[in-house]
Each structure stands twice: as C-alpha cells, then as structure tokens.
Amino acid sequence: MGDVSDTNGVLVPVSPSPTLEETVEYAVDTVENGDGSGAVHLVLTAPGHHVGNEGLDRDETLLSTAEKYATEAAGNGVSIRTSLLGTDEYFADPVNHFELLVDYVAEHDLDRVIIDPDYSVDATAHVLQSMETVLAESNIRYEVAPVSRSWRPTGPELIRGGVIAAMAFGFYVALGGPTYPFALWTGAVTALITAVLLRNVAFERTPHVGSALATLGRGVVFVPYLLWEIVKANVQFAYVVLHPSLPIDPCLDRVDAAVGDGLSVTAFANSITLTPGTLTVDTVGSELLVHSLAPSARKDLAEGLHERAVRILFYGREGGDLPGPLARGDMEPVVQSADAVAGAGRDAEAESGGETDD
C-alpha cells in the first residue's frame, strides 16, 4: 500500500469480531512504524439510536474495549481517538455505513483505512467486498489487516444462533407435535443447522433478552391500541364513503420515520396500511411513501399518531416525546391535495395582484 511515512492517522472500523484486538494492534504498529506519531481513529457506525440508551451503551462499551486494546499497544507518540457515527439515522443498506466512513476519512484527512478481516455491520453477513469497492471508488487507501483468523463464534453470533435455534425448534414442534425421541432429536439437529447457517442473515441487529421482553410486554398494550385506531378509522372512512358529497382529498407524502431498524419500520408501515384511509406505497430505508385519502387521515400521519405508538412499542415511554413528522420537518408532499393546490393558486394570484397595484 505504499510508504507509511506520510501517515496522518489511520481509521479502523469497529465491530464485534474475534480478530478485533489483533486488528487494532496492527493499526497501532502501522502508525508507529511510520514517523512514530499520529492517531488511530476507532470508529463505530451505530445508526438508529433515536431514543433510549440500551443500544447506545452496548456500542460505547464495544468502542471502549477497542480503545483499551489500542491504548495497551500504543507508544507515547500515538494518540487514540474514538467516534460513534450516525446515531440519529437508520440505514437499511450496509453501503450507507461505508459512506459514513468515507466522509470521516475526508474530514480528518486520514492516510488509510485498516479493515478487520472479520468486520461486519452488526448482525448482517460479512460485507468486506462491498466496503472495499466503496473505498476504492473514493480513492481511499485501505488494507485488510494481516491477522490470523481462526473461526470461533462471537458473543452476538451465539445469541443470534440461539434465538434462531429456539424459534426453529419451536416451529418444528408446533407443526408436527412429535413425542418420540427420534423425532425430537431430528428437530433439534435441524434447528442447530439452521442456526449455524442463518446466524448472520436472519437478524438485522443482535437481539437482547431485556429489550426483547420489554417490547413484547409493551406489545400487549400496542395491539389493542392499534385495533382501536383501526375501528375509529373504519367509522370515519364509512362516513366519508356514505356522505353524499364524498369529502375526500387524496395526497401523497414522503415521511422520514424516526425509527431505528427494519422491524420498527415494518411495524410503522403496516400500522399505517392497516388503518383505513392511509396506505404505505413504498419504503426506502426509513423513508415511507404514504397515500392519504382524507384530510383527517393525513393529519394523523403529520402529527405522528402511528409513529408515536410504534416508537413507544420499541423504545419505551420516552419514545413518545418526539414531535410528529410535520413539526420536525420530516414530511413533504409528493402529490399535493386539491385543497393545497387551490390554496397555493390563490396565494400566487394574490401576490400577482399586489404587484400589479404597485
């Protein structure tokens, strides 16, 4: 990768991996073997922490662990810097994570990126090839740390695999109801194979028992609430349909949802679609394209009626404190309602008349 004497610093993307310590030590050696001074930037992309501290605490703990590895290996001339990136965003595509790293490299004028060979974006499969493509297209020097790799599952992988195995075995028992030992052992082996194969595929994020149980508990309240909102919307929609003048005013809006992962985006999109009068047409990351049939339906969307309920479901009571999409500037019309178009026309006409009078 060329001479390291011009090293301004190196960036190490951090993720839970069995080779993280060796990668960090290699990065420190790279800086020390240059001019003996510089910085090692340990960076963790952690999108999605819109509220709550549990996920953020886990990420900060991982970053502190990496910092400890670097501090123990570093000499006096090497400084260690840590950063969490994208904590107020949600990315459905790993490439978005890499773009954050590219921006960080440019902002700090770093010499290169050193990649852990076992680096992955949380619970997703390893994506080094995509990462290398993004870095190469941005003309950023990079290298995969030449550290020894011996396959052993990380803690998050064991958690994901355990959850998958339990779910697969439970599904097997529920479908077949086996009672004799051979059938039970067959189900257990099948569940184990499924867990090994899907441990880095089935989950976007590593589940945690505490937060999962809390979400299930809040779901006991969320489901009746959603059913009640569906009943109310049905009554309102029936009134609109039966009214002689058919008071509808359809529009299409793009809404950037303040939710942090694919599961919460899915819950939000489906709660909108299940409620008569609104329909989620498309989603890209956390952005939803929503069709509203009547002004009352659009008002509920703008004020965050469904979004607030979903945030409370996944993040707890503090999740309901965020203003609605319209108030925080996360909602824009794609196809305006007839009333909005007419109002804009009247405003333009009034302005034009005022200029003529002058």
Side-chain angles (χ1 to χ4, degrees):
M1 301 301 295
D3 183 25
V4 297
S5 61
D6 60 343
T7 298
N8 296 320
V10 299
L11 180 145
V12 180
V14 174
S15 74
S17 86
T19 53
L20 175 61
E21 182 175 4
E22 294 171 274
T23 300
V24 171
E25 291 175 350
Y26 175 77
V28 171
D29 289 342
T30 299
V31 174
E32 290 182 335
N33 291 336
D35 59 6
S37 64
V40 174
H41 295 251
L42 306 172
V43 175
L44 175 62
T45 56
H49 298 302
H50 293 276
V51 298
N53 295 321
E54 183 176 352
L56 195 58
D57 289 343
R58 290 194 298 267
D59 291 329
E60 288 177 344
T61 298
L62 175 60
L63 207 52
S64 296
T65 300
E67 184 179 17
K68 177 184 175 184
Y69 295 152
T71 302
E72 292 176 348
N76 294 330
V78 179
S79 61
I80 311 300
R81 301 179 186 178
T82 62
S83 295
L84 278 173
L85 303 182
T87 56
D88 59 347
E89 304 176 61
Y90 164 60
F91 296 145
D93 189 344
V95 171
N96 297 131
H97 291 251
F98 309 150
E99 290 171 348
L100 283 179
L101 299 177
V102 168
D103 293 341
Y104 187 94
V105 169
E107 179 183 353
H108 294 83
D109 192 25
L110 300 183
D111 177 66
R112 72 181 64 197
V113 177
I114 295 179
I115 309 172
D116 183 342
D118 286 316
Y119 176 80
S120 64
V121 178
D122 197 37
T124 59
H126 298 288
V127 283
L128 288 192
Q129 184 174 3
S130 299
M131 184 179 189
E132 292 173 0
T133 300
V134 172
L135 295 176
E137 290 176 348
S138 303
N139 295 319
I140 293 176
R141 296 200 297 172
Y142 67 89
E143 63 177 305
V144 178
V147 299
S148 59
R149 300 180 65 181
S150 58
W151 186 89
R152 62 182 186 274
T154 62
E157 282 184 314
L158 290 175
I159 293 173
R160 297 194 295 268
V163 173
I164 293 170
M167 293 174 62
F169 184 72
F171 185 69
Y172 173 84
V173 172
L175 285 183
T179 56
Y180 50 96
F182 178 77
L184 291 173
W185 276 108
T186 301
V189 171
T190 302
L192 181 62
I193 294 173
T194 303
V196 172
L197 294 177
L198 300 182
R199 70 189 188 283
N200 290 328
V201 177
F203 292 102
E204 184 180 6
R205 288 184 172 186
T206 302
H208 292 268
V209 176
S211 58
L213 291 177
T215 299
L216 289 174
R218 292 190 290 267
V220 175
V221 178
F222 174 78
V223 172
Y225 168 81
L226 179 61
L227 292 175
W228 172 243
E229 290 299 327
I230 291 174
V231 170
K232 290 197 316 183
N234 269 292
V235 173
Q236 294 172 351
F237 190 63
Y239 169 79
V240 169
V241 171
L242 296 175
H243 196 283
S245 64
L246 196 64
I248 63 173
D249 193 12
C251 60
L252 197 63
D253 294 283
R254 182 176 290 107
V255 179
D256 189 3
V259 290
D261 56 25
L263 185 60
S264 55
V265 170
T266 301
F268 180 39
N270 281 292
S271 66
I272 290 173
T273 298
L274 288 172
T275 307
T278 52
L279 173 69
T280 302
V281 179
D282 192 17
T283 61
V284 178
S286 61
E287 286 191 351
L288 279 65
L289 193 62
V290 182
H291 179 271
S292 303
L293 188 63
S296 59
R298 186 176 188 272
K299 179 182 177 183
D300 289 343
L301 177 68
E303 293 179 350
L305 178 69
H306 301 293
E307 183 189 59
R308 188 171 294 110
V310 170
R311 285 173 58 81
I312 292 174
L313 170 65
F314 286 95
Y315 308 130
R317 184 173 299 177
E318 67 272 21
D321 296 336
L322 195 72
L326 185 62
R328 63 175 190 266
D330 285 340
M331 180 175 176
E332 62 174 346
V334 177
V335 177
Q336 291 188 324
S337 64
D339 286 346
V341 172
R346 287 192 298 269
D347 292 343
E349 184 178 350
E351 291 178 5
S352 175
E355 291 175 359
T356 303
D357 293 338
D358 292 340

Tab-separated table of all heavy atoms in Angstrom, residues 131-140 142:
chain	number	residue	atom	x	y	z
A	131	MET	N	-17.431	-3.044	0.945
A	131	MET	CA	-16.708	-1.982	1.629
A	131	MET	C	-15.467	-1.585	0.825
A	131	MET	O	-15.193	-0.394	0.634
A	131	MET	CB	-16.301	-2.444	3.022
A	131	MET	CG	-15.630	-1.380	3.863
A	131	MET	SD	-15.219	-2.017	5.490
A	131	MET	CE	-14.729	-0.516	6.328
A	132	GLU	N	-14.741	-2.559	0.341
A	132	GLU	CA	-13.537	-2.271	-0.441
A	132	GLU	C	-13.897	-1.524	-1.727
A	132	GLU	O	-13.156	-0.638	-2.162
A	132	GLU	CB	-12.804	-3.570	-0.748
A	132	GLU	CG	-12.206	-4.231	0.489
A	132	GLU	CD	-11.623	-5.604	0.192
A	132	GLU	OE1	-11.689	-6.029	-0.981
A	132	GLU	OE2	-11.132	-6.248	1.130
A	133	THR	N	-15.042	-1.869	-2.318
A	133	THR	CA	-15.476	-1.187	-3.539
A	133	THR	C	-15.745	0.288	-3.276
A	133	THR	O	-15.320	1.165	-4.040
A	133	THR	CB	-16.737	-1.862	-4.101
A	133	THR	OG1	-16.452	-3.225	-4.403
A	133	THR	CG2	-17.216	-1.155	-5.349
A	134	VAL	N	-16.451	0.584	-2.181
A	134	VAL	CA	-16.765	1.967	-1.834
A	134	VAL	C	-15.488	2.759	-1.564
A	134	VAL	O	-15.333	3.894	-2.020
A	134	VAL	CB	-17.702	2.022	-0.612
A	134	VAL	CG1	-17.877	3.459	-0.118
A	134	VAL	CG2	-19.052	1.420	-0.945
A	135	LEU	N	-14.552	2.174	-0.837
A	135	LEU	CA	-13.299	2.867	-0.525
A	135	LEU	C	-12.473	3.103	-1.783
A	135	LEU	O	-11.887	4.174	-1.967
A	135	LEU	CB	-12.501	2.055	0.496
A	135	LEU	CG	-13.127	1.902	1.881
A	135	LEU	CD1	-12.261	0.990	2.753
A	135	LEU	CD2	-13.307	3.246	2.562
A	136	ALA	N	-12.424	2.091	-2.658
A	136	ALA	CA	-11.645	2.239	-3.894
A	136	ALA	C	-12.240	3.320	-4.789
A	136	ALA	O	-11.508	4.120	-5.385
A	136	ALA	CB	-11.596	0.905	-4.633
A	137	GLU	N	-13.564	3.359	-4.888
A	137	GLU	CA	-14.213	4.378	-5.712
A	137	GLU	C	-13.989	5.782	-5.164
A	137	GLU	O	-14.043	6.766	-5.912
A	137	GLU	CB	-15.710	4.094	-5.813
A	137	GLU	CG	-16.041	2.858	-6.641
A	137	GLU	CD	-17.521	2.541	-6.642
A	137	GLU	OE1	-18.256	3.148	-5.826
A	137	GLU	OE2	-17.945	1.678	-7.438
A	138	SER	N	-13.725	5.890	-3.864
A	138	SER	CA	-13.471	7.187	-3.235
A	138	SER	C	-11.984	7.513	-3.179
A	138	SER	O	-11.592	8.498	-2.552
A	138	SER	CB	-14.057	7.193	-1.816
A	138	SER	OG	-15.438	6.913	-1.828
A	139	ASN	N	-11.144	6.674	-3.823
A	139	ASN	CA	-9.691	6.874	-3.850
A	139	ASN	C	-9.085	6.926	-2.459
A	139	ASN	O	-8.201	7.735	-2.169
A	139	ASN	CB	-9.348	8.162	-4.616
A	139	ASN	CG	-9.730	8.081	-6.084
A	139	ASN	OD1	-9.532	7.044	-6.722
A	139	ASN	ND2	-10.294	9.163	-6.606
A	140	ILE	N	-9.593	6.061	-1.586
A	140	ILE	CA	-9.063	5.969	-0.222
A	140	ILE	C	-8.211	4.710	-0.118
A	140	ILE	O	-8.647	3.615	-0.509
A	140	ILE	CB	-10.212	5.924	0.800
A	140	ILE	CG1	-10.958	7.261	0.804
A	140	ILE	CG2	-9.692	5.605	2.192
A	140	ILE	CD1	-12.177	7.278	1.708
A	142	TYR	N	-6.584	1.571	1.525
A	142	TYR	CA	-7.084	0.651	2.551
A	142	TYR	C	-6.293	-0.650	2.476
A	142	TYR	O	-5.630	-0.947	1.487
A	142	TYR	CB	-8.570	0.359	2.350
A	142	TYR	CG	-8.865	-0.426	1.099
A	142	TYR	CD1	-8.866	-1.826	1.115
A	142	TYR	CD2	-9.129	0.219	-0.108
A	142	TYR	CE1	-9.121	-2.548	-0.038
A	142	TYR	CE2	-9.374	-0.496	-1.263
A	142	TYR	CZ	-9.378	-1.888	-1.220
A	142	TYR	OH	-9.616	-2.598	-2.364
